[in-house]
Amino acid sequence: MKRDNHGDGISELVSNGTELRVYRGRDGGLSASDIVTVRPPASGTTRVLAVADFTGDERADLAVRTYLGEAKDTVAVYAGEKSGLVAAKPQVTFSTAEFLGMD
């Protein structure tokens, strides 16, 4: 998933997995030397849900879902920062089970 987070017109790339890797875009392409690793707040498989400005600061934020089966998951929103694509810790975490009455 790609999104311009720094306002420089160049997109970043986010890869899925047990950890998320964020590759910062540069004029010459993606930068392997400027990778941010995001450790999800739960164990399991993590997928990017959306990259959008959830906080209203005109920076791209990252929403991910980490799951172990359909009934056990954690959704986390990482705020975009001026110095990097995402914050080290999520601003918000919750489980969809809370909304589906599966607790």
Side-chain angles (χ1 to χ4, degrees), residues 5 52-61 79-82 91:
N5 183 60
D53 181 12
F54 298 111
T55 59
D57 62 0
E58 298 184 9
R59 291 190 183 98
D61 306 313
E81 296 183 335
K82 186 176 183 177
Q91 272 196 316

Side-chain angles (χ1 to χ4, degrees), residues 8-29:
D8 57 8
I10 302 171
S11 295
E12 285 77 27
L13 175 72
V14 181
S15 66
N16 290 318
T18 54
E19 294 180 332
L20 301 168
R21 299 226 183 336
V22 181
Y23 299 84
R24 184 163 182 196
R26 300 281 186 208
D27 287 330

Side-chain angles (χ1 to χ4, degrees), residues 68-89:
L68 290 170
E70 288 302 313
K72 186 172 183 177
D73 72 347
T74 302
V75 175
V77 177
Y78 295 85
E81 296 183 335
K82 186 176 183 177
S83 62
L85 183 61
V86 293
K89 294 183 181 179

Side-chain angles (χ1 to χ4, degrees), residues 35-48:
I35 298 171
V36 175
T37 300
V38 178
R39 301 192 196 307
S43 61
T45 302
T46 300
R47 297 287 182 245
V48 174

